[in-house]
């Protein structure tokens, strides 16, 4: 049917002017796409339009008054003029000038920062009131970017109601029938688009469209489904995009609000983004020439229409819910492994952000809750290996920074204004250091700027998205960017993160796929930053200890290469040690805690890596005694005697050769070697000390051998251990106490032992003489034998003669012999009664076989 004259405004003149008419197929290839110096990727590669030589009349859209201002007669007159020249020539790729609705020369290249108005921030940031002008200066966006050329959107429709009725009738026929040819499809779409222009003043049109939204969505869905994904031979896609845009400008959104609309949005996005590359489309046309279209020109027109359709959705988006929906649709395409798909998605989002930044008029509540994810994704794209993607992402980041500033100014209450001022001041200072090109070409600088404005949840989103970028094995540069973004963000955000265990989980999972040494170093340094902050130390350690032991090479590398500042090394090693020590307070009849085995293996890896050497020397006494106690607990156990978390191992992974004891022994050996106790290590090797430590009956002999070796070769360390043991002797379970007592008793040979208060020496040994465990009685007598050599301590020991005499009746040979040795030292000082009692007891021993 012949189309009535269409009341389409110049908002879509660029797409219309670049569209291909079914009536003029031969003219499609005449106009070669031209570009302007000010135009960026979208205009160069995806559009066939030119920038007009003169500026358009300016209008400020921030206040939302533009609809009212342009609804009057003057606007209609101008619209009549704008429509007067529209004909078939506007649907071909021509050399004639057309308007690019959302582009401006003054912000598409390198933007000079206007910082002169921010002296107040430098002098007294607390006195600054936040205004739009401050934001413009900080981001490098001049206020002119907001006052940009834009054609009138509200149109005066056909001059009489007959045209409206005719349009409604033709559209109604489609709802009741089918669209067969391309001409019928284009006729329907253009009729619907024309009808949409009458909405501002025609109630019939409004009623008809609102009552047939479902039908319209169904037909558009059907039209897109019929378009092939592997080729582009018609302008139906382009007309669909234009129609949706026209309705969006009249506040009728066909892509939001229900599941079928969301499906339509997903379908039309895929229909353009998933097309083959332009080169492939051109080759396909050469193989199967249609004779009607220039494929390259048609693609650029179609993509431009798609881009403008997306922009139409955010022109009035005060709550950012439309942006949220658009981003969800574009998210997978922004991360596509295909270069041309990623390029299209990035170009589209850059134009959306540019349009949004110019029309930003935010109101609470804001429904865009994925800012951290968005910033990280765009930052990763700034480091993309495809130059065009990186350039377009950089332009998008520039606009996103402005959107972020306005967003934060909207949601921050008065109490948080000082924080916002500080964040803006930091942003200002960083932007002074970099040129715009430097800023947007360096991902770590982007992280520095945006960190100040992201809250804890957004920081988590940023980190998780960045970690996902590590999976991009096809593009090493993306991994490199991810590493820089991650380490910079964690370094600058300090202790503002949440959900650290989830972050650690993803980092540990990604280590195995990162092959670039520099990126691996950055990821491990990120863990080092987290673990060195007291707020996160226990959280990080706790998560790392929940992995199978022995650690795989990736986690072993992490433990061995922790890069921590010197003041934090002792704190980290102490917290790891405490994880192990707490397990020694549990009853010995229960299964060993898995954390004990994992912490022991972690200590071994830390000693091997030797990055925490200063802390290892400082905590040597605690480390040594804790590991010896762990050896005692581990004797005779297998991994089946450990309370392993469910799902941590499979039956095949659990090796019978791996035991808790082997981890404890290797950690103890590594500790001696890393603290330069080589002679003590050799003594243990020559005298089978490690075998003694591993034995159930001879464990204390191994402890005594090591204690004597330490006392002989390194008496300073031995004395530190002795002073450490004084408060520990009565702590923990029986194995804890026995190992500590065994080591402590051997150290009483040192002359320093006489300096100990009697309550920590003689009195404690007296308590052990009455202990129910014979081993403690033996250790008490051994300690008294060492102390009796000191003349000034003999008087205190003489008071213990009754207890010692009672031990002569013990059935344990070692106890009786030790008691006799002590009595021999005291016999010259005994009175007659004590001597008689001793002799009677000794006579009975002559008959003991």
């Amino acid at each position: 049917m012949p189309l009535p004259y269409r009341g389409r405004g110049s908002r879509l003149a660029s797409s219309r002017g670049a569209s291909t008419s079914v009536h003029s197929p031969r003219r499609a290839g005449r106009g070669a796409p031209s570009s302007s110096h000010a135009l960026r990727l979208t205009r160069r590669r995806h559009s066939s339009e030119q920038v007009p030589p003169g500026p358009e009349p300016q209008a400020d859209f921030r206040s939302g008054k533009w609809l009212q201002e342009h609804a009057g007669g003057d606007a209609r007159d101008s619209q009549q003029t704008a429509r007067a020249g529209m004909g078939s020539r506007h649907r071909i790729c021509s050399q004639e000038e057309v308007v690019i609705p959302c582009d401006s020369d003054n912000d598409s290249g390198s933007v000079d920062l206007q910082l002169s108005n921010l002296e107040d921030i430098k002098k007294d940031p607390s006195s600054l009131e936040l205004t739009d002008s401050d934001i413009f200066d900080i981001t490098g966006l001049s206020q002119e970017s907001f006052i940009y050329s834009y054609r009138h959107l509200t149109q005066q429709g056909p001059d009489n109601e007959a045209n409206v009725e005719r349009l409604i009738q033709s559209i109604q026929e489609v709802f009741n029938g089918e669209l067969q040819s391309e001409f019928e499809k284009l006729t329907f779409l253009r009729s619907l688009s024309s009808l949409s222009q009458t909405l501002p003043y025609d109630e019939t049109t409004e009623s008809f469209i609102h009552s047939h939204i479902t039908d319209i969505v169904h037909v558009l869905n059907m039209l897109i489904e019929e378009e092939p994904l592997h080729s582009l031979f018609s302008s139906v896609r382009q007309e669909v995009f234009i129609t949706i845009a026209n309705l969006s400008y009249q506040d009728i959104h066909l892509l939001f609000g229900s599941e079928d609309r969301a499906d339509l949005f997903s379908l039309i996005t895929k229909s353009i983004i998933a097309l083959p590359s332009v080169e492939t489309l051109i080759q396909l046309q050469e193989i199967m020439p249609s004779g009607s279209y220039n494929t390259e020109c048609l693609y650029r027109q179609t993509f431009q229409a798609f881009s403008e359709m997306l922009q139409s959705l955010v022109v009035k988006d005060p709550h950012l819910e439309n942006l949220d929906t658009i981003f969800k649709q574009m998210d997978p395409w922004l991360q596509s492994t295909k270069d041309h798909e990623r390029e299209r998605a990035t170009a589209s989002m850059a134009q959306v952000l540019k349009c949004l930044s110019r029309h930003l008029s935010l109101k609470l509540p804001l429904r865009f809750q994925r800012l951290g994810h968005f910033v990280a994704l765009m930052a990763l794209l700034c480091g993309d290996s495809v130059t065009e993607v990186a350039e377009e992402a950089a332009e998008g980041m520039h606009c996103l920074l402005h959107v972020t500033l306005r967003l934060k100014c909207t949601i921050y209450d008065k109490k948080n204004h000082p924080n916002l001022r500080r964040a803006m001041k930091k942003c200002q200072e960083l932007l002074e250091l970099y040129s715009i090109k430097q800023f947007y070409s360096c991902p770590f600088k982007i992280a520095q700027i945006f960190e100040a404005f992201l809250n804890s949840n957004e920081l988590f989103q940023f980190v998780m998205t960045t970690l996902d970028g590590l999976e991009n094995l096809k593009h090493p540069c993306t991994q490199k960017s991810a590493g820089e973004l991650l380490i910079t963000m964690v370094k600058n955000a300090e202790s503002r993160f949440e959900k650290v265990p989830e972050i650690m989980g993803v980092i540990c999972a990604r280590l195995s796929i990162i092959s670039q040494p520099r990126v691996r170093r950055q990821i491990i340094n990120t863990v080092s930053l987290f673990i060195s902050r007291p707020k996160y130390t226990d959280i990080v350690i706790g998560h790392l200890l929940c992995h199978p032991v022995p650690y795989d090479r990736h986690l072993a590398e992490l433990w061995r290469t922790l890069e921590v500042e010197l003041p934090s090394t002792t704190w980290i090693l102490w917290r790891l040690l405490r994880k192990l020590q707490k397990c020694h307070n549990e009853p010995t009849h229960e299964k060993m805690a898995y954390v004990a085995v994992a912490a022991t293996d972690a200590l071994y890896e830390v000693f091997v890596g030797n990055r925490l050497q200063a802390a290892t020397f400082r905590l040597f006494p605690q480390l040594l005694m804790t590991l010896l106690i762990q050896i005692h607990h581990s004797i005779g156990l297998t991994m089946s005697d450990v309370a392993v978390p469910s799902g941590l191992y499979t039956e095949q992974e659990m090796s019978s050769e791996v035991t808790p004891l082997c981890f404890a022994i290797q950690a103890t050996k590594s500790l001696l070697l890393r603290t330069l106790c080589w002679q003590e290590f050799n003594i243990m090797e020559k005298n089978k000390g490690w075998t003694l430590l591993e034995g159930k009956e001879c464990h204390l002999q191994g402890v005594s051998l090591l204690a004597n070796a330490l006392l002989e070769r390194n008496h300073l360390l031995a004395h530190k251990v002795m002073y450490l043991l004084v408060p520990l002797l009565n702590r923990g379970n029986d194995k804890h106490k026995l190992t500590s007592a065994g080591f402590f008793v051997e150290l009483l040979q040192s002359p320093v032992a006489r300096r100990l208060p009697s309550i920590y020496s003689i009195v404690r040994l007296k308590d052990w003489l009455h202990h129910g465990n014979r081993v403690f009685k033996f250790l008490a007598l051994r300690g008294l034998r060492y102390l009796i050599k000191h003349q000034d301590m003999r008087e205190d020991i003489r008071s213990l003669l009754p207890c010692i005499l009672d031990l002569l009746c013990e059935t344990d040979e070692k106890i009786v012999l030790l008691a006799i040795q002590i009595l021999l030292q005291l016999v010259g000082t005994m009175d007659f009664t004590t001597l008689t009692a001793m002799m009677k007891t000794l006579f009975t021993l002559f008959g003991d076989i």
Side-chain angles (χ1 to χ4, degrees):
M1 57 175 273
L3 284 178
Y5 118 93
R6 292 168 24 224
R8 187 173 296 114
S10 298
R11 172 68 184 95
L12 297 170
S14 58
S15 290
R16 284 298 189 187
S19 64
T20 305
S21 170
V22 295
H23 298 295
S24 306
R26 298 296 180 186
R27 300 182 61 184
R30 294 181 182 177
S34 63
S35 61
S36 169
H37 174 70
L39 299 182
R40 307 263 320 190
L41 173 65
T42 304
R43 279 75 68 202
R44 289 202 313 266
R45 297 175 58 85
H46 298 289
S47 174
S48 59
E49 299 165 346
Q50 294 178 329
V51 178
E56 295 279 338
Q58 296 181 332
D60 190 350
F61 295 98
R62 286 172 295 167
S63 63
K65 297 179 180 178
W66 53 276
L67 282 175
Q68 300 174 10
E69 293 172 354
H70 292 166
D74 293 340
R76 292 173 186 169
D77 293 342
S78 64
Q79 291 156 17
Q80 297 273 3
T81 305
R83 288 197 304 269
M86 292 189 61
S88 61
R89 66 184 179 86
H90 288 285
R91 297 189 198 159
I92 64 172
C93 186
S94 69
Q95 296 283 358
E96 298 177 14
E97 294 176 348
V98 290
V99 176
I100 298 179
C102 287
D103 291 327
S104 176
D105 288 347
N106 61 4
D107 69 339
S108 51
S110 176
V111 183
D112 295 328
L113 298 175
Q114 299 174 5
L115 306 170
S116 58
N117 295 331
L118 293 174
E119 293 300 320
D120 291 338
I121 294 181
K122 300 174 185 175
K123 296 176 182 178
D124 184 10
S126 63
S127 65
L128 180 66
E129 289 297 329
L130 300 177
T131 62
D132 284 351
S133 61
D134 298 327
I135 297 173
F136 298 140
D137 291 338
I138 288 179
T139 60
L141 280 176
S142 65
Q143 193 161 356
E144 293 176 0
S145 297
F146 266 78
I147 306 172
Y148 96 129
S149 58
Y150 200 101
R151 299 281 190 179
H152 304 304
L153 298 184
T154 55
Q155 307 293 331
Q156 184 178 13
D159 294 333
N160 53 65
E161 295 181 2
N163 285 337
V164 173
E165 291 297 329
R166 196 175 343 142
L167 288 172
I168 291 177
Q169 182 180 357
S170 66
I171 295 170
Q172 185 71 56
E173 290 174 356
V174 173
F175 294 156
N176 301 327
E178 294 183 1
L179 294 172
Q180 299 291 339
S181 66
E182 179 182 345
F183 176 78
E184 291 177 349
K185 296 175 182 179
L186 295 176
T187 299
F188 165 75
L189 293 169
R190 290 167 181 168
S191 296
L192 183 58
S193 216
S194 296
L195 185 65
S196 69
Q197 305 305 311
T198 68
L199 276 166
Y201 56 86
D202 193 293
E203 294 182 359
T204 303
T205 300
E206 183 178 7
S207 174
F208 173 79
I209 291 181
H210 280 287
S211 62
H212 290 83
I213 291 289
T214 303
D215 296 325
I216 294 172
V217 170
H218 174 73
V219 173
L220 295 183
N221 195 84
M222 179 187 65
L223 293 177
I224 293 295
E225 283 182 339
E226 292 175 357
E227 291 296 300
L229 276 176
H230 64 276
S231 60
L232 182 63
F233 288 140
S234 80
S235 60
V236 171
R237 283 186 183 88
Q238 178 186 352
E239 289 294 338
V240 169
F241 302 152
I242 292 172
T243 300
I244 293 173
N246 278 331
L247 288 168
S248 296
Y249 286 124
Q250 306 301 338
D251 290 328
I252 297 178
H253 296 291
L254 302 182
L255 305 181
F256 307 136
S258 64
E259 185 176 348
D260 58 336
R261 300 186 198 187
D263 292 340
L264 175 60
F265 199 173
S266 177
L267 185 63
I268 65 175
T269 302
K270 182 179 180 180
S271 74
I272 183 68
I273 302 293
L275 281 173
S277 65
V278 177
E279 292 77 11
T280 303
L281 290 174
I282 293 173
Q283 292 173 3
L284 187 62
Q285 185 184 31
E286 293 174 354
I287 296 172
M288 298 185 303
S290 65
S292 301
Y293 301 96
N294 179 301
T295 300
E296 182 178 4
C297 188
L298 178 60
Y299 162 74
R300 298 189 182 201
Q301 298 155 8
T302 304
F303 185 86
Q304 182 68 14
F306 173 74
S307 179
E308 292 182 9
M309 180 199 74
L310 295 181
Q311 294 172 55
S312 73
L313 304 177
V314 297
V315 168
K316 291 186 291 182
D317 189 17
H319 304 291
L320 297 184
E321 53 189 334
N322 295 353
L323 175 65
D324 186 65
T325 304
I326 293 172
F327 181 54
K328 287 177 182 176
Q329 292 292 341
M330 301 301 294
D331 191 355
W333 301 109
L334 291 168
Q335 302 180 67
S336 173
T337 57
K338 297 180 180 180
D339 292 346
H340 65 277
E341 291 180 353
R342 205 167 58 257
E343 180 182 350
R344 289 166 183 165
T346 307
S348 300
M349 284 309 303
Q351 289 305 300
V352 167
L353 287 169
K354 179 177 287 188
C355 180
L356 178 66
S357 69
R358 290 166 172 162
H359 297 279
L360 208 56
S361 179
L362 299 178
K363 298 178 182 178
L364 295 175
L366 298 180
R367 296 186 174 89
F368 185 69
Q369 305 298 330
R370 309 177 74 204
L371 180 61
H373 177 47
F374 198 4
V375 171
L377 193 51
M378 294 298 289
L380 286 172
L381 291 169
C382 286
D384 200 276
S385 57
V386 179
T387 303
E388 291 81 1
V389 174
E391 289 178 353
E392 199 65 37
E395 186 173 352
M397 285 302 301
H398 185 57
C399 298
L400 181 56
L401 178 57
H402 176 262
V403 172
T404 300
L405 287 171
R406 290 294 300 272
L407 186 152
K408 294 300 177 180
C409 287
T410 302
I411 64 175
Y412 270 55
D413 54 31
K414 292 184 178 180
K415 294 180 180 179
N416 290 320
H417 264 205
N419 295 333
L420 182 59
R421 291 191 190 97
R422 284 193 294 270
M424 294 179 69
K425 184 172 184 286
K426 179 180 179 181
C427 174
Q428 151 74 17
E429 291 170 350
L430 289 169
L431 287 175
E432 282 184 326
L433 299 177
Y434 315 129
S435 68
I436 291 296
K437 288 184 177 179
Q438 265 190 324
F439 171 44
Y440 295 115
S441 63
C442 298
F444 79 91
K445 295 176 182 177
I446 295 175
Q448 281 182 300
I449 296 293
F450 277 91
E451 174 273 323
F453 300 103
L454 301 182
N455 60 35
S456 56
N457 184 54
E458 291 163 349
L459 287 172
F460 173 72
Q461 295 175 4
F462 183 97
V463 170
M464 297 301 281
T465 303
T466 304
L467 289 172
D468 289 341
L470 296 174
E471 290 186 299
N472 198 331
L473 304 180
K474 184 179 177 182
H475 298 99
C477 62
T478 302
Q479 275 198 354
K480 180 181 177 182
S481 296
E484 291 179 353
L485 284 169
L486 187 63
I487 189 68
T488 306
M489 185 61 76
V490 174
K491 186 181 296 183
N492 284 273
E494 297 182 347
S495 299
R496 296 197 295 117
F497 288 93
E498 293 180 351
K499 303 178 183 178
V500 174
E502 289 89 336
I503 295 174
M504 289 297 107
V506 176
I507 287 178
C508 293
R510 298 288 187 273
L511 275 176
S512 60
I513 64 174
I514 303 172
S515 57
Q516 298 183 63
R518 176 180 173 83
V519 179
R520 285 184 71 85
R521 184 72 260 145
Q522 288 171 330
I523 300 306
I524 292 175
N525 285 348
T526 299
V527 178
S528 302
L529 286 172
F530 274 118
I531 202 172
S532 62
R533 288 169 182 155
K535 180 179 178 180
Y536 305 127
T537 303
D538 286 342
I539 297 174
V540 175
I541 291 175
H543 179 82
L544 295 178
L545 296 182
C546 291
H547 288 78
V549 292
Y551 295 116
D552 60 31
R553 65 184 184 90
H554 306 292
L555 279 175
E557 179 189 1
L558 194 157
W559 281 115
R560 293 181 183 187
T561 58
L562 285 174
E563 198 72 41
V564 182
E565 294 181 0
L566 188 60
S568 301
T569 56
T570 303
W571 166 252
I572 294 169
L573 194 57
W574 169 246
R575 297 312 301 167
L576 177 58
L577 182 63
R578 285 295 296 153
K579 292 283 186 182
L580 179 55
Q581 289 176 341
K582 289 179 181 179
C583 298
H584 296 159
N585 296 325
E586 301 297 326
T588 55
H589 63 272
E590 296 183 1
K591 278 192 171 187
M592 177 178 287
Y594 180 77
V595 171
V597 183
T600 305
D601 193 25
L603 286 171
Y604 165 72
E605 299 296 350
V606 168
F607 297 152
V608 171
N610 208 28
R611 293 295 182 93
L612 309 183
Q613 186 180 34
T616 305
F617 274 101
R618 186 174 183 179
L619 295 176
F620 175 81
Q622 293 93 328
L623 290 166
L624 179 62
M625 291 312 306
T626 303
L627 289 173
L628 289 175
I629 293 168
Q630 177 63 16
I631 290 174
H632 198 173
H633 281 83
S634 303
I635 294 172
L637 299 184
T638 64
M639 289 302 290
S640 60
D641 299 311
V642 178
V644 179
S646 59
L648 193 60
Y649 292 94
T650 62
E651 293 183 4
Q652 294 75 17
E653 290 176 332
M654 186 76 76
S655 173
S656 58
E657 298 179 358
V658 176
T659 64
L661 185 59
C662 72
F663 292 120
I665 290 292
Q666 72 177 8
T668 307
K669 290 180 178 180
S670 301
L671 174 64
L672 293 178
L673 293 174
R674 286 307 187 193
T675 52
L676 309 182
C677 296
W678 301 323
Q679 293 179 333
E680 295 85 337
F681 182 87
N682 290 331
I683 290 173
M684 293 293 289
E685 291 283 333
K686 291 178 181 178
N687 295 277
K688 299 182 180 179
W690 306 116
T691 304
L692 292 174
L693 282 174
E694 294 173 355
K696 189 172 184 179
E697 301 299 330
C698 54
H699 171 73
L700 288 181
Q701 295 180 42
V703 171
S704 298
L705 178 63
L706 181 55
N708 280 285
L710 191 65
L711 187 61
E712 178 185 350
R713 301 296 181 181
N714 200 330
H715 61 276
L716 291 177
L717 278 180
H719 296 157
K720 289 182 179 181
V721 175
M722 182 173 66
Y723 286 119
L724 165 75
L725 287 172
V726 168
L728 295 180
L729 291 173
N730 290 329
R731 297 181 186 175
N733 53 35
D734 288 344
K735 292 183 177 180
H736 184 290
K737 293 175 182 177
L738 279 173
T739 302
S740 302
F743 206 99
F744 176 75
V745 163
E746 297 303 319
L747 298 180
L748 293 177
Q749 301 174 73
S750 170
V752 178
R754 61 198 298 180
R755 302 177 188 172
L756 290 174
S758 61
I759 191 174
Y760 298 129
S761 55
I762 304 295
V763 174
R764 182 157 285 166
L765 295 178
K766 178 183 177 181
D767 293 339
W768 291 351
L769 290 174
H770 296 92
H771 201 284
N773 190 330
R774 290 180 178 178
V775 178
F776 276 102
K777 294 178 180 179
F778 171 78
L779 292 174
L781 291 171
R782 193 174 178 90
L784 291 173
R785 190 186 67 175
Y786 294 144
L787 292 177
I788 206 170
K789 297 176 183 178
H790 306 300
Q791 293 295 329
D792 54 346
M793 303 189 76
R794 287 197 172 195
E795 190 63 31
D796 292 331
I797 296 175
R798 280 187 64 221
S799 64
L800 302 178
L801 276 175
C803 301
I804 298 173
L805 288 174
D806 290 342
L807 294 177
L808 293 176
C809 301
E810 286 283 340
T811 57
D812 190 308
E813 177 184 347
K814 294 179 180 179
I815 292 177
V816 175
L817 291 176
L818 271 175
I820 292 173
Q821 291 176 20
I822 295 171
L823 291 172
L824 283 173
Q825 300 292 327
L826 298 174
V827 70
T829 62
M830 292 181 187
D831 56 31
F832 179 77
T833 304
T834 304
L835 187 59
T836 301
M838 181 187 72
M839 294 299 293
K840 286 180 180 180
T841 306
L842 289 174
F843 274 126
T844 63
L845 297 180
F846 283 102
D848 191 312
I849 298 176

